[in-house]
Amino acid sequence: MEVIKINNLVKRFPMGKGYFTALNKINLSFEKGEFAGFVGPSGSGKTTLLNIIGSLDTPSDGSVIVMGKSVSDLTYKQSARLRNKHIGFIFQTYNLLPVYTVFENVEFSLLLQNISASERKKAVMEALEWLDIADKAKSKPNMLSGGECQRVAIARAMVKKPEIILADEPTANLDSENSHRILQTMKKLNEELKVSFLFATHDEKVMKYLDRIIALVDGRVASDEKNISKLEIKV
Ligand SMILES: Nc1ncnc2c1ncn2[C@@H]1O[C@H](COP(=O)(O)OP(=O)(O)OP(=O)(O)O)[C@@H](O)[C@H]1O
Ligand SMILES: [Mg+2]
């Protein structure tokens, strides 16, 4: 099943009196359960593309179909619902809410859905256990290490069991050991729950895990290849 289909996508940002073209005629599609990533120099359009796929931003031209729905046609409310139900985001900077506990940060993803408190608790603890961080459920983010914060952010993205997780430079603030640990956890989620992952990354460590690598250069797809030098990982 195709979870994402991108047709002739163009993104222009206003600049001075004209426009800057950040994405230029992108055509791509992704099947359910892919573990793929965008690579390319700074400014090549990786984040812009993830933001449009996640309906945080809109196309200037062309179309992006996510889970059968065109992101350009959605109302504000519909795009919020698409994000909330089907898409998990993991950002470089975690974006955890500092005044809330680990438990509450993860639970937050479920509050907009019609789920009882006891079901929420079960889902949150299950996600924290998956990420091996359940013992920190009552801690606040400032009591955690960078790797632990990123694990909480992954738990938050996966607690609602989304079809797609978009991860923008998820290892940028982690050391090598934590990066590998987190990537292995994501790979496990991908294989066991068939969650589709799309990364944007500069990190060679991340690239080693990807099944498919798409290189962007100046807002265009420069190459789109199966990763033949992938690490074989047992999960
Ligand atoms: N809101 C905006 N307004 C104007 N230009 C923007 C905006 N967002 C991004 N751009 C421009 O679009 C281009 C692509 O930016 P983007 O953030 O997608 O790059 P990237 O590949 O993620 O880079 P990096 O590796 O540094 O994160 C850049 O030249 C950037 O300056
Ligand atoms: Mg970026």
Side-chain angles (χ1 to χ4, degrees):
M1 191 187 97
E2 217 166 51
V3 289
I4 300 164
K5 177 98 179 101
I6 301 170
N7 299 306
N8 276 317
L9 171 66
V10 176
K11 180 65 182 179
R12 297 182 205 96
F13 291 113
M15 201 172 70
K17 288 194 178 111
Y19 287 97
F20 173 78
T21 304
L23 296 174
N24 201 346
K25 302 211 174 106
I26 305 269
N27 288 291
L28 289 167
S29 68
F30 297 92
E31 298 288 320
K32 183 177 167 68
E34 288 210 41
F35 204 74
F38 299 110
V39 304
S42 180
S44 57
K46 304 180 295 294
T47 296
T48 306
L49 186 49
L50 285 190
N51 285 347
I52 296 176
I53 294 169
S55 84
L56 293 172
D57 204 347
T58 50
S60 307
D61 213 339
S63 66
V64 175
I65 318 280
V66 178
M67 305 298 301
K69 294 204 167 69
S70 166
V71 298
S72 321
D73 298 341
L74 301 175
T75 63
Y76 182 77
K77 231 177 151 175
Q78 287 169 327
S79 81
R81 196 178 311 139
L82 175 77
R83 280 197 300 277
N84 193 44
K85 270 197 89 166
H86 299 294
I87 302 175
F89 287 92
I90 300 167
F91 302 95
Q92 172 178 352
T93 49
Y94 325 132
N95 288 6
L96 300 177
L97 300 166
V99 298
Y100 293 110
T101 64
V102 163
F103 182 93
E104 289 160 342
N105 265 281
V106 176
E107 187 186 29
F108 196 76
S109 290
L110 297 174
L111 288 180
L112 297 170
Q113 294 180 26
N114 200 9
I115 303 174
S116 71
S118 63
E119 275 179 83
R120 281 204 304 270
K121 182 168 184 203
K122 189 165 162 268
V124 172
M125 291 315 294
E126 194 181 85
L128 293 177
E129 270 152 30
W130 252 88
L131 276 302
D132 196 18
I133 193 142
D135 56 330
K136 305 276 179 173
K138 295 197 169 102
S139 303
K140 300 259 174 81
N142 67 2
M143 298 155 74
L144 305 180
S145 72
E148 288 167 340
C149 284
Q150 194 58 297
R151 276 187 274 153
V152 177
I154 300 170
R156 181 186 55 187
M158 64 161 280
V159 70
K160 55 195 176 182
K161 307 242 164 67
E163 273 83 4
I164 303 164
I165 290 186
L166 303 174
D168 196 353
E169 306 280 5
T171 56
N173 287 312
L174 302 179
D175 62 29
S176 173
E177 194 186 320
N178 269 302
S179 298
H180 283 294
R181 221 175 129 178
I182 272 160
L183 284 157
Q184 277 164 11
T185 308
M186 290 172 160
K187 191 66 203 155
K188 195 166 127 189
L189 277 172
N190 168 251
E191 296 199 347
E192 291 184 12
L193 303 177
K194 290 284 166 267
V195 182
S196 312
F197 277 79
L198 273 186
F199 293 83
T201 190
H202 290 284
D203 187 348
E204 301 271 342
K205 289 190 291 297
V206 175
M207 292 178 212
K208 282 192 192 138
Y209 286 81
L210 300 176
D211 298 327
R212 173 182 175 192
I213 297 181
I214 298 151
L216 296 182
V217 176
D218 294 335
R220 291 176 190 271
V221 175
S223 66
D224 177 359
E225 285 166 355
K226 196 169 165 347
N227 184 15
I228 47 171
S229 51
K230 194 178 74 170
L231 276 180
E232 280 313 320
I233 310 144
K234 288 185 205 74
V235 291

